[in-house]
């Protein structure tokens, strides 16, 4: 079901091999592979795994690569482990069934297009630790109604909320 490659501190999950199996809708990523921790989900590892509705990521994971879950259109829930410090570009782009995202304390950066085109996304909860949000990170989310930005200086790139018509002018935490 998974392919792994060794990295400096354990293993990277490089590919989810059951992408086309409609019978598999929920997966739990193992925390250990061959006696070593699974520390990373590689770029594009779950790209277009269209039948997945739920993925459980172990706390051993500290890095999630670019486009790791992009195009998982049925993905409804995802847990982001507390050891993750960055959401890479396009990580959850086009996960059109996600409704709510809570990013854990410790995440400092959200890459460009990270949550772009999550069509059912209504709520985003950001941690106080956030320092940078890339271009169009939350764009093209027509149902986005609520996001809390911490009341501190954050580097925000352009068109962050483009095409989010339900998001009012007042963003929680900002005046």
């Amino acid at each position: 079901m998974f392919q792994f490659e060794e990295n400096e501190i354990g293993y990277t999950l490089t590919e989810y091999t059951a992408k086309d199996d409609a019978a598999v809708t929920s997966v739990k990523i193992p925390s250990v592979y061959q006696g070593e921790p699974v520390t990373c989900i590689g770029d594009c590892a779950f790209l277009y795994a269209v039948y997945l509705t739920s993925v459980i990521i172990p706390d051993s994971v500290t890095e999630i690569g670019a486009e790791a879950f992009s195009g998982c259109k049925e993905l409804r829930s995802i847990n982001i482990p507390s050891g993750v410090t960055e959401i890479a570009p396009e990580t959850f782009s086009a996960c059109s069934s996600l409704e709510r995202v809570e990013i854990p304390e410790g995440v400092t950066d959200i890459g460009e297009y990270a949550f772009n085109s999550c069509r059912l996304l209504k709520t985003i909860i950001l941690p106080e630790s956030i320092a940078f949000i890339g271009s169009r990170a939350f764009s093209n989310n027509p149902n986005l109604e609520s996001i809390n930005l911490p009341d501190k200086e954050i580097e925000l790139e352009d068109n962050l909320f483009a095409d989010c018509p339900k998001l009012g002018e007042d963003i929680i935490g900002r005046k």
Side-chain angles (χ1 to χ4, degrees):
M1 182 173 287
F2 303 114
Q3 290 183 354
F4 296 94
E5 285 183 10
E6 197 167 2
N7 63 38
E8 308 82 42
I9 55 173
Y11 279 92
T12 297
L13 188 158
T14 57
E15 186 176 2
Y16 169 63
T17 59
K19 291 179 183 176
D20 297 324
D21 188 346
V24 181
T25 60
S26 181
V27 297
K28 181 177 181 181
I29 297 170
S31 60
V32 175
Y33 178 74
Q34 294 186 350
E36 297 292 329
V38 175
T39 60
C40 180
I41 298 172
D43 293 352
C44 304
F46 288 84
L47 183 68
Y48 299 120
V50 296
Y51 298 110
L52 280 183
T53 61
S54 158
V55 176
I56 298 172
I57 303 172
D59 288 338
S60 61
V61 170
T62 58
E63 184 180 337
I64 302 173
E67 296 184 77
F69 295 95
S70 185
C72 294
K73 66 181 185 176
E74 295 299 322
L75 189 63
R76 292 184 187 96
S77 67
I78 190 81
N79 67 303
I80 301 170
S82 60
V84 172
T85 59
E86 175 185 352
I87 307 292
E90 299 184 52
T91 300
F92 299 101
S93 181
C95 289
S96 53
S97 294
L98 274 180
E99 291 187 21
R100 183 176 190 273
V101 172
E102 185 165 351
I103 298 172
E105 192 61 43
V107 171
T108 58
D109 294 4
I110 298 175
E112 61 186 17
Y113 295 91
F115 294 93
N116 177 63
S117 296
C118 296
R119 313 287 292 163
L120 295 180
L121 187 60
K122 293 179 183 176
T123 303
I124 300 166
I125 299 175
L126 298 173
E128 286 294 320
S129 57
I130 202 74
F132 170 82
I133 302 176
S135 176
R136 295 188 172 269
F138 303 109
S139 65
N140 199 26
N141 291 315
N143 290 298
L144 184 60
E145 298 172 346
S146 170
I147 184 167
N148 71 315
L149 287 173
D151 194 16
K152 66 174 200 166
E153 190 163 324
I154 300 170
E155 184 181 346
L156 303 174
E157 290 196 339
D158 64 330
N159 297 309
L160 198 56
F161 303 109
D163 301 317
C164 296
K166 289 186 179 179
L167 189 62
E169 302 243 348
D170 295 328
I171 296 173
I172 300 169
R174 297 291 170 149
K175 292 157 180 73

